[in-house]
Amino acid sequence: MRTTGNTIFLTGGTSGIGLELARRFRDLGNTVIISGRRKDLLDKITAEDGIEGIELDVADPASITAAYETVTTEHPNLNVLITMAGIMQVEDLRDHDLATAEQTITTNLLGTIRTVTAFTPHLLQQQDAVIMTVSSGLAFVPLAMTPTYSATKAAVHSYTQSLRHQLPLQVIELVPPAVQTALLNQENDERAMPLAEYADETIQLLQDHPDAEEILVNRVHFLRDAERENRHDQVFAALNSVA
């Protein structure tokens, strides 16, 4: 992926990793459009950061269709899609309550699949087209307190591999570790990676490895490589002993 001269649509870009990367891509000379569910927040970001925003709820298929039509009409040169939108919630599996699991699957997995499906025909007509999905280190070693989140990220990883095999364009999987964001109220968690540090390393990896299939900062390798190094059970136990 080239890191300048793109037109990028990034879902879930109103906070955390999404907004930080949107700012970095803007500063590198890209046209960036973000999305979110709150118009007031999108308007604030547009006023303060100069990043265009549109309303989108990835849990709603009609909203995805409307966003696709708006973005591709107003930005016909769109060549990069980043599916950042997602939710992470703690679950107690003894509660026998499926509401959280269903919401997480609808947002994280179906939201990704539906968004990619909507934008793929347009991207296939563009030069230097890229689809970037967002999984997690927890796709490879789950956090037991967020079982459905971890499962959806494992599914996104699998889906991304199939996308890469089937589509004649670059497919990149962004695999974050725990980062200091509001995703699980970990803005001040010393065990999580500082947000600016994560964005810096991610952009550097994209610049250094333009043909990359996965973007792995150093702090996520202990999760990504656990199975290959026969350390999965050990890492799972350590991860969940401090959760």
Side-chain angles (χ1 to χ4, degrees):
M1 175 182 173
R2 69 189 191 201
T3 54
T4 189
N6 299 294
T7 301
I8 300 171
F9 178 52
L10 189 153
T11 69
T14 56
S15 64
I17 295 173
L19 180 56
E20 193 68 20
L21 288 180
R23 289 168 173 158
R24 303 302 173 94
F25 282 124
R26 174 207 60 194
D27 292 345
L28 286 169
N30 299 282
T31 298
V32 182
I33 308 100
I34 63 170
S35 73
R37 291 177 295 175
R38 291 176 50 190
K39 186 177 186 302
D40 59 333
L41 186 53
L42 291 166
D43 290 343
K44 181 174 182 290
I45 292 169
T46 297
E48 294 179 355
D49 294 283
I51 297 173
E52 182 180 343
I54 68 167
E55 290 183 78
L56 169 62
D57 179 359
V58 298
D60 179 0
S63 182
I64 293 172
T65 299
Y68 166 77
E69 293 173 351
T70 298
V71 172
T72 55
T73 298
E74 296 181 359
H75 300 277
N77 294 325
L78 176 79
N79 68 304
V80 178
L81 170 68
I82 304 176
T83 58
M84 183 69 65
I87 59 173
M88 183 179 193
Q89 299 185 60
V90 173
E91 297 171 81
D92 186 338
L93 299 181
R94 297 166 295 185
D95 288 344
H96 307 293
D97 181 3
L98 289 175
T100 296
E102 291 172 349
Q103 182 184 19
T104 303
I105 292 167
T106 299
T107 301
N108 295 2
L109 181 56
L110 286 178
T112 294
I113 293 173
R114 287 167 172 162
T115 303
V116 168
T117 299
F119 280 83
T120 292
H122 176 86
L123 292 171
L124 288 175
Q125 300 176 42
Q126 308 303 308
Q127 291 187 341
D128 300 313
V130 175
I131 294 173
M132 182 184 293
T133 62
V134 182
S135 64
S136 166
L138 301 180
F140 306 96
V141 180
L143 183 63
M145 65 189 290
T146 58
T148 306
Y149 174 86
S150 301
T152 58
K153 293 303 185 178
V156 168
H157 168 67
S158 175
Y159 177 70
T160 303
Q161 290 182 305
S162 296
L163 279 178
R164 190 177 297 120
H165 181 76
Q166 291 196 25
L167 299 183
L169 51 75
Q170 186 177 9
V171 178
I172 304 172
E173 180 180 350
L174 189 65
V175 188
V179 178
Q180 290 178 349
T181 69
L183 187 62
L184 200 62
N185 299 316
Q186 56 193 22
E187 299 97 322
N188 301 309
D189 190 337
E190 294 181 355
R191 297 169 297 178
M193 187 173 186
L195 178 57
E197 181 182 333
Y198 175 75
D200 285 341
E201 189 173 348
T202 295
I203 293 297
Q204 191 64 57
L205 286 169
L206 286 167
Q207 292 175 327
D208 291 346
H209 306 282
D211 297 324
E213 294 185 348
E214 295 180 353
I215 297 299
L216 304 163
V217 299
N218 284 334
R219 289 179 64 159
V220 81
H221 278 282
F222 82 104
L223 295 169
R224 178 65 181 95
D225 300 336
E227 190 74 42
R228 178 175 58 82
E229 296 175 355
N230 295 316
R231 295 184 297 105
H232 183 278
D233 291 349
Q234 176 185 353
V235 173
F236 177 83
L239 177 68
N240 288 287
S241 68
V242 297

